[in-house]
Amino acid sequence: MGTPVKPIKKLVDSGLFGWPLKVTVSRHTGYDWKFYWVGKTNLDPVPVPQELDYNMWLGPAPYRPYNPHRVHGTFRGYWDYDGGGLGDMGQHYMDPVQYFLGKDNTSPISVEIDAPQQHTDAVGTWCRVVYTYEDGCQIILDGEGKDEHVPFIEGPNGKLYPGFRSDIADLQRKLAAFPDPEPQVTNFVEAVKNRTKFALNEENGHRSCTLVNMGLAALRLGRSLKFDPVKQEFINDEGANRLVYQPMRSGWTLV
């Protein structure tokens, strides 16, 4: 985007764009999904290197024959360990969006998926993921990047593009009349010393992870899902809820 989060938060809080808002995350708005982090379906088993404790590396994940593509940086391409580019980069891309939309304490009520059928082991690519909140706000993950002119933020009264460009005339002057957003504690060491809440904490971090995991569940299952942001579970979908608590390999427990 070429713009810090603070002025975007101020713009959203000002109400100049109206409500609800739609935020599109694509390579044309500054976020390039890493689709080279996909799995392979034709891996041949090879001997485990002497220096690698493969059993420990797998941890609670199911045992599968070793292949170098399952470890190192390319482990992201397998459902047992990650979720491709969305699983690895989704939180980094969507956490600021969640913050400036004021959604740090809630989650979407639905996630819609447009993607090819996924392999049971290897993560593939996807076309589009749409999250919708109870108030109508949406976060759209555009994997294909078809619309080169899509705004980053769009509301009933205006649009925002990379470089803080907008279709609202004289936006900066109009925005100057509004208060700055509440200051955030961004020095972690000082937050620890003063016992103050760090800007990126376990609560909003959990909600950001939930965004990612909702998308991955829909992608893995190949269907759109309804979600209860209070109970934090999928609605009337046992298959999706089973992905939240995946079984551990024998010998591993969570205490």
Side-chain angles (χ1 to χ4, degrees):
M1 277 292 291
T3 304
V5 176
K6 183 177 178 179
I8 298 177
K9 174 66 171 172
K10 181 175 181 177
L11 175 58
V12 170
D13 289 349
S14 74
L16 288 172
F17 281 173
W19 204 263
L21 299 178
K22 179 171 66 176
V23 181
T24 301
V25 182
S26 81
R27 66 173 177 265
H28 301 301
T29 59
Y31 308 88
D32 197 3
W33 294 103
K34 294 177 169 57
F35 278 158
Y36 50 80
W37 280 336
V38 295
K40 295 183 178 181
T41 60
N42 58 346
L43 297 180
D44 294 323
V46 300
V48 179
Q50 185 176 357
E51 67 273 13
L52 174 63
D53 185 341
Y54 187 51
N55 182 66
M56 182 61 70
W57 188 92
L58 286 172
Y63 178 82
R64 295 186 188 273
Y66 172 78
N67 182 284
H69 202 262
R70 299 190 72 88
V71 299
H72 310 298
T74 48
F75 75 89
R76 298 172 175 89
Y78 299 91
W79 290 117
D80 287 343
Y81 327 122
D82 203 335
L86 174 56
D88 193 88
M89 299 304 298
Q91 181 159 335
H92 302 295
Y93 291 176
M94 290 190 285
D95 183 84
V97 176
Q98 176 183 264
Y99 161 67
F100 67 63
L101 286 179
K103 306 299 185 184
D104 275 342
N105 298 312
T106 189
S107 297
I109 60 171
S110 70
V111 55
E112 301 170 68
I113 187 74
D114 177 9
Q117 180 64 47
Q118 298 294 297
H119 189 269
T120 55
D121 178 36
V123 183
T125 60
W126 43 271
C127 305
R128 191 175 179 89
V129 183
V130 179
Y131 300 92
T132 302
Y133 288 89
E134 190 170 17
D135 63 358
C137 283
Q138 290 186 323
I139 301 176
I140 298 173
L141 312 184
D142 181 5
E144 293 182 306
K146 286 185 175 180
D147 186 355
E148 297 183 13
H149 306 291
V150 64
F152 179 49
I153 303 176
E154 180 176 357
N157 304 326
K159 301 174 183 179
L160 183 72
Y161 297 88
F164 215 74
R165 295 178 293 107
S166 176
D167 60 349
I168 293 182
D170 206 9
L171 178 63
Q172 294 284 13
R173 182 188 62 80
K174 293 175 181 176
L175 193 58
F178 293 89
D180 288 335
E182 183 178 344
Q184 299 289 301
V185 180
T186 57
N187 185 314
F188 181 73
V189 174
E190 291 303 315
V192 173
K193 288 180 178 179
N194 298 325
R195 299 295 189 266
T196 53
K197 181 73 78 172
F198 187 57
L200 306 175
N201 54 68
E202 69 282 2
E203 295 175 358
N204 56 41
H206 166 71
R207 292 293 183 174
S208 297
C209 287
T210 300
L211 277 170
V212 175
N213 288 327
M214 286 178 66
L216 291 178
L219 175 61
R220 192 170 181 179
L221 294 170
R223 60 177 179 264
S224 299
L225 304 169
K226 301 293 184 182
F227 190 74
D228 186 326
V230 177
K231 294 181 179 180
Q232 297 188 51
E233 62 184 32
F234 293 103
I235 299 172
N236 299 325
D237 198 317
E238 294 182 10
N241 284 320
R242 279 198 296 269
L243 293 178
V244 179
Y245 300 101
Q246 299 185 66
M248 296 186 182
R249 194 158 54 99
S250 177
W252 291 84
T253 58
L254 184 64
V255 297

